[in-house]
Amino acid sequence: MGKMAIGYGSEYQLLRFLGHHRNFLDNEILKSLCKQNETLIWFDYPTDIKRHSLDGELKGIECFEKDSETKEHIDFIKSEWKKFWPTKGNCQNWDGIFKIKDEWYFVEAKARRKELSSICNASKENSLQIIKQSFSETIKKYSSSFSVDFWISKENKAYQLSNRLAFLVFCEKIGIKAHLVYINFINGFNKPGTHGHKNISSKEDWERIWDEEYKLLGIKAENLKEDLFHIYIDCEK
């Protein structure tokens, strides 16, 4: 989890739109999901006085303890999660979470290319075996021709997307309807002094970046159409 920058970056922009342009953001999301007549409910996040923003993030399955429906089954969810993902080390950190009726949406906010890049840092054999098994199930659903050894290797710079997709597979296994929502900020990293070289200035640029991510994992975009949604927000309009 990085530190929030002031005036630029994905965490700042997400907080900005949630705080100052909530109706616009919600309408853009609902439009992209083809759910314009529905109500979107965001989850509050925990405080963390060690961070500059004074707030932390919900991780892994923590959100299911905060919802009245899933809280009733939290012991079952936790026991299944232990089988699916290592309990030691870091897990999925969500930038935002919202629900529409009984469907869960896990949000990742991005403002520059580098935020998509990560590798698997698990080192213990037991953890690696758990991840490999979960990735095998994920590959079977989204990328049947690819090797699990690659997905877990240091060559896989799209590890974050890999484990987010695995989380959807976990939710499906336990009967929870879940989706990923990537909020891709355009002109969201206009930091003074960078000369714009880290900034992404168009939807087309983002689409090319995501095509590279999918290609790296051997995924076709059509395989994700029911599970992963992209929202494009221009921070300067």
Side-chain angles (χ1 to χ4, degrees):
M1 186 190 300
K3 294 181 180 179
M4 184 179 72
I6 301 300
Y8 67 96
S10 58
E11 186 177 1
Y12 170 82
Q13 297 293 359
L14 181 59
L15 285 175
R16 174 186 166 219
F17 277 86
L18 283 171
H20 294 167
H21 310 283
R22 173 70 67 88
N23 289 334
F24 170 78
L25 178 64
D26 285 359
N27 287 336
E28 288 297 301
I29 291 173
L30 290 170
K31 183 169 62 178
S32 295
L33 300 179
C34 297
K35 293 181 179 291
Q36 289 95 325
N37 297 321
E38 303 289 355
T39 300
L40 184 159
I41 305 296
W42 291 88
F43 279 75
D44 285 349
Y45 269 45
T47 57
D48 184 350
I49 61 172
K50 295 179 181 179
R51 300 192 72 211
H52 286 182
S53 66
L54 300 180
D55 289 319
E57 292 177 328
L58 288 171
K59 301 178 182 181
I61 61 171
E62 291 175 349
C63 59
F64 298 135
E65 297 185 76
K66 295 180 173 292
D67 181 74
S68 59
E69 294 180 8
T70 51
K71 190 175 182 179
E72 295 180 3
H73 310 286
I74 196 62
D75 290 340
F76 166 73
I77 294 172
K78 286 181 176 179
S79 66
E80 292 300 305
W81 181 243
K82 287 180 181 178
K83 302 174 191 174
F84 191 86
W85 204 256
T87 56
K88 301 289 186 181
N90 200 13
C91 62
Q92 295 83 355
N93 290 254
W94 305 112
D95 293 331
I97 299 172
F98 65 84
K99 282 186 74 177
I100 299 175
K101 293 184 176 178
D102 64 340
E103 296 187 53
W104 292 77
Y105 294 84
F106 294 87
V107 176
E108 291 288 341
K110 304 298 178 187
R112 58 173 175 156
R113 177 69 178 87
K114 186 178 179 180
E115 291 180 314
L116 275 64
S117 298
S118 67
I119 59 174
C120 178
N121 288 316
S123 57
K124 293 185 177 181
E125 187 60 29
N126 183 56
S127 295
L128 288 170
Q129 288 303 317
I130 293 173
I131 295 172
K132 286 181 74 171
Q133 177 58 42
S134 298
F135 275 2
S136 294
E137 297 178 43
T138 307
I139 290 170
K140 185 177 181 180
K141 180 172 184 179
Y142 296 112
S143 176
S144 58
S145 63
F146 255 55
S147 164
V148 69
D149 290 324
F150 172 78
W151 271 42
I152 205 169
S153 73
K154 303 301 181 186
E155 297 176 57
N156 178 16
K157 300 298 192 293
Y159 176 72
Q160 185 184 99
L161 177 58
S162 305
N163 66 53
R164 269 49 174 180
L165 291 173
F167 188 84
L168 294 188
V169 171
F170 169 75
C171 289
E172 184 178 47
K173 284 168 66 78
I174 62 171
I176 290 176
K177 300 175 185 177
H179 313 272
L180 291 175
V181 174
Y182 278 88
I183 300 178
N184 305 290
F185 288 111
I186 299 165
N187 298 311
F189 206 84
N190 266 334
K191 178 185 177 183
T194 64
H195 306 293
H197 70 278
K198 292 182 179 179
N199 196 50
I200 298 174
S201 57
S202 71
K203 175 182 176 181
E204 290 72 25
D205 285 345
W206 267 124
E207 289 175 333
R208 282 191 288 272
I209 289 169
W210 281 109
D211 284 344
E212 292 172 5
E213 292 283 295
Y214 297 157
K215 184 177 181 180
L216 183 64
L217 297 178
I219 294 174
K220 294 181 179 180
E222 55 262 34
N223 293 347
L224 301 170
K225 62 182 180 180
E226 300 296 327
D227 297 333
L228 189 155
F229 300 90
H230 287 286
I231 317 295
Y232 299 94
I233 302 292
D234 193 332
C235 298
E236 296 184 350
K237 291 184 179 179

